[in-house]
Amino acid sequence: MDLGATVCLARIPRCGSCPLAPACPSRGRRYEPLRKQSRFAGSFRQRRAQTLRLVVTAGRPLADLDPDAVESLARDGLVTVEADVVALPGEATIRA
Ligand code: SF4
């Protein structure tokens, strides 16, 4: 049983069915997220997602993509840039 995924949920812990409840100092407490994530629409995360979606099936010319998003994705190891072609790591075919 994965308690963190099924029982001890941050917003609504199910302490009543938790096997750790007798010894848990947090029993009955609820914790709201410390910060809210900004809106996805119009965000840099959205630009990264759009860029990644474009290269997921085949490599794309760098000139056809958002350069800031490509740089960020490459820094995170999610894409590679070789000879001005952006692709998933291990792939480098340009889409026809
Ligand atoms: S008793 Fe403690 S570990 Fe169990 S669900 Fe509640 S807060 Fe989480």
Side-chain angles (χ1 to χ4, degrees):
M1 174 190 279
D2 185 352
L3 291 176
T6 59
V7 178
C8 190
L9 306 172
R11 291 187 192 178
I12 310 170
R14 297 183 175 118
C15 302
S17 59
C18 179
L20 304 176
C24 180
S26 297
R27 182 182 55 218
R29 294 185 182 169
R30 293 181 178 198
Y31 297 92
E32 293 300 319
L34 295 179
R35 65 179 180 88
K36 286 192 169 189
Q37 193 169 39
S38 61
R39 292 174 49 107
F40 183 71
S43 69
F44 188 61
R45 289 180 290 128
Q46 184 181 35
R47 289 167 52 195
R48 279 174 46 110
Q50 288 170 337
T51 301
L52 191 56
R53 208 173 289 124
L54 289 171
V55 300
V56 89
T57 54
R60 297 268 181 160
L62 178 58
D64 293 351
L65 301 169
D66 179 331
D68 295 333
V70 169
E71 181 182 329
S72 174
L73 291 167
R75 198 171 39 245
D76 290 346
L78 296 174
V79 299
T80 59
V81 183
E82 292 180 27
D84 288 335
V85 174
V86 182
L88 295 181
E91 298 180 21
T93 306
I94 294 181
R95 182 184 223 169

